[in-house]
């Protein structure tokens, strides 16, 4: 179910032989289509990935972002709960907001203690910036729908699993402006940097690219979701981080690594000045704010589902950029 089928046309128009009779596409918008409840009733499991989830939109389209991630998701949760259907709901690592460590002085020794920056599903607080920083509209809406899903489980017996992705990347992600998507708009960091590399432009580092992120390969992440689907007794009622803490880099280091990998796979020499610094206000507009680090605690998903990510960052970048 989606509002368009561009990214999966090769699977549905027509379906390849191995998917014949196994996949059907319904073009509809979940927020205003009466057919949605019927589809949920027909299904054993509903997986909800519908969202506006591009950082450039969070403070320029805050109303759309809040509606997409909270209001429009309400019917999905409601229909699953009322009809006794299992739900796997996709949230985001952004619900954690800023780490506790980010509020300590930069040279404070506690910044190095894992409990102040490693993010644990059932323990870490969700710390957002002030209301005027509309960038947190996405994280706040995602947190509220998580709370509603959890409450439906507690009060009405909804079988649910919540997924918190930590920067899943891989082939066909997002869009390259004017190549496989609209010519306007700012995609997420992987597509932004890929766009610059293709056009032989310097990669833009927001506020120096000091923010730290972890990245996980899409194939590894899909393995985790399959384990949730296939093991309801071990997955129901849980929130799972799905990321790779071994693939942590600053955004600046990611830019440098992508420049190196792209030169290798394309045969083109890197630019003399491969990166430039831009302010968050210049790049994203007024009202932008950000988290410092996002490192997932993998204890719960390993204990419940036996899952660990496998692919090192350089290998997954090479696969993605080839």
């Amino acid at each position: 179910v989606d509002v368009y089928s561009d990214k999966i046309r090769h699977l549905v128009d027509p379906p390849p032989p191995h998917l014949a009779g196994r996949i059907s596409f319904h073009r509809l918008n979940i927020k205003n289509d009466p057919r949605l409840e019927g589809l949920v009733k027909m299904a054993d499991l509903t997986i909800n990935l519908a969202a506006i989830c591009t950082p450039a939109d969070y403070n320029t389209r805050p109303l759309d972002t809040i509606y997409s991630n909270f209001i429009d998701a309400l019917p999905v949760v409601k229909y699953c709960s009322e009809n006794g259907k299992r739900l796997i709901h996709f949230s985001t690592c952004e619900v954690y907001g800023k780490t506790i460590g980010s509020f300590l002085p930069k040279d404070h020794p506690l910044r190095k203690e894992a409990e102040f920056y490693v993010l644990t599903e059932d323990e870490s607080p969700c710390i957002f910036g002030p209301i005027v920083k509309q960038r947190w509209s996405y994280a706040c809406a995602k947190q509220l729908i998580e709370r509603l899903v959890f409450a439906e489980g507690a009060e009405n017996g909804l079988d649910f699993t919540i997924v918190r992705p930590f920067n899943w990347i891989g082939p066909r992600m997002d869009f390259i402006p004017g190549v496989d998507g609209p010519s306007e708009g700012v995609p997420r960091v992987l597509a932004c940097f890929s766009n610059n590399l293709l056009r032989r432009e310097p990669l833009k580092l927001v506020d120096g690219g000091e923010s730290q992120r972890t990245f996980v390969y899409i194939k590894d992440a899909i393995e985790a979701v399959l384990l949730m689907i296939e093991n309801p007794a071990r997955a129901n009622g849980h929130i799972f981080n799905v990321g790779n803490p071994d693939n942590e880099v600053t955004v600046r280091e990611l830019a440098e690594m992508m420049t190196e990998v792209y030169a290798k796979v394309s045969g083109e020499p890197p630019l003399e000045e491969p990166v430039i610094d831009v302010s968050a206000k210049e790049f994203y507009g007024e009202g932008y704010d950000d988290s410092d680090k996002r490192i997932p605690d993998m204890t719960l998903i390993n204990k419940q589902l036996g899952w660990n990510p496998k692919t090192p960052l350089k290998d997954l970048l090479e696969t993605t950029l080839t």
Side-chain angles (χ1 to χ4, degrees):
V1 172
D2 206 341
V3 292
Y4 60 88
S5 60
D6 298 19
K7 287 288 181 78
I8 60 165
R9 188 170 287 130
H10 62 294
L11 301 178
V12 298
D13 191 22
H18 71 286
L19 289 181
R22 296 177 58 207
I23 185 170
S24 59
F25 176 72
H26 300 266
R27 186 186 182 105
L28 61 89
N29 192 321
I30 64 169
K31 69 181 178 181
N32 57 15
D33 199 303
R35 292 175 291 172
L36 180 63
E37 184 174 13
L39 292 172
V40 170
K41 283 182 176 180
M42 289 166 54
D44 299 309
L45 164 69
T46 295
I47 304 176
N48 184 21
L49 301 101
I52 288 176
C53 53
T54 303
D57 292 329
Y58 301 161
N59 61 309
T60 57
R61 298 171 59 200
L63 286 175
D64 286 342
T65 299
I66 293 166
Y67 270 76
S68 167
N69 290 289
F70 178 64
I71 303 296
D72 298 348
L74 290 176
V76 180
V77 181
K78 176 174 177 281
Y79 296 149
C80 286
S81 185
E82 290 178 348
N83 292 286
K85 301 297 183 177
R86 186 177 172 219
L87 171 67
I88 295 180
H89 182 82
F90 270 66
S91 184
T92 171
C93 61
E94 294 218 3
V95 297
Y96 292 109
K98 302 185 179 190
T99 66
I100 299 172
S102 70
F103 293 91
L104 297 170
K106 285 195 173 181
D107 57 351
H108 199 290
L110 286 179
R111 271 183 173 259
K112 298 179 181 179
E113 297 293 326
E115 63 186 293
F116 290 94
Y117 63 85
V118 174
L119 304 170
T120 305
E121 296 94 332
D122 299 332
E123 297 176 12
S124 296
C126 302
I127 306 171
F128 302 150
I131 300 300
V132 296
K133 299 293 186 181
Q134 293 197 103
R135 181 255 190 278
W136 298 108
S137 59
Y138 173 68
C140 192
K142 282 291 195 184
Q143 185 199 132
L144 190 52
I145 197 69
E146 277 198 30
R147 292 190 183 278
L148 183 120
V149 169
F150 198 89
E152 282 285 357
E155 290 194 26
N156 297 322
L158 172 67
D159 286 336
F160 72 88
T161 303
I162 292 172
V163 184
R164 290 179 179 165
F166 279 70
N167 298 293
W168 297 9
I169 63 175
R172 294 213 308 273
M173 174 188 167
D174 222 330
F175 65 94
I176 305 294
V179 176
D180 64 344
S183 58
E184 297 179 355
V186 180
R188 286 163 286 195
V189 65
L190 184 88
C192 263
F193 286 172
S194 299
N195 181 47
N196 296 140
L197 290 167
L198 284 169
R199 289 174 165 77
R200 294 194 60 76
E201 300 169 350
L203 280 60
K204 295 179 179 179
L205 301 178
V206 175
D207 292 340
E210 293 183 359
S211 295
Q212 293 169 271
R213 296 290 183 267
T214 59
F215 296 89
V216 65
Y217 190 35
I218 185 64
K219 286 188 176 180
D220 292 348
I222 288 171
E223 284 182 9
V225 177
L226 285 172
L227 288 169
M228 295 175 207
I229 293 170
E230 293 164 358
N231 297 277
R234 301 187 68 82
N236 283 348
H238 287 293
I239 302 168
F240 290 121
N241 292 336
V242 181
N244 189 339
D246 293 333
N247 286 347
E248 187 202 8
V249 288
T250 65
V251 174
R252 178 177 289 275
E253 288 168 339
L254 176 69
E256 292 168 350
M257 193 177 290
M258 286 183 67
T259 299
E260 177 188 332
V261 169
Y262 183 73
K264 176 183 174 182
V265 300
S266 69
E268 297 179 1
L271 297 176
E272 289 185 13
E273 188 180 2
V275 299
I276 55 172
D277 291 349
V278 298
S279 69
K281 182 178 179 181
E282 178 186 348
F283 194 79
Y284 288 119
E286 204 70 60
Y288 190 77
D289 197 11
D290 209 348
S291 54
D292 52 322
K293 292 164 75 80
R294 290 199 204 130
I295 302 177
D297 181 356
M298 305 305 295
T299 305
L300 183 62
I301 195 168
N302 183 258
K303 175 187 172 185
Q304 292 298 117
L305 301 175
W307 180 80
N308 278 305
K310 307 179 187 73
T311 312
L313 183 55
K314 187 163 279 191
D315 290 352
L316 75 87
L317 286 176
E318 191 163 323
T319 303
T320 301
L321 293 175
T322 297

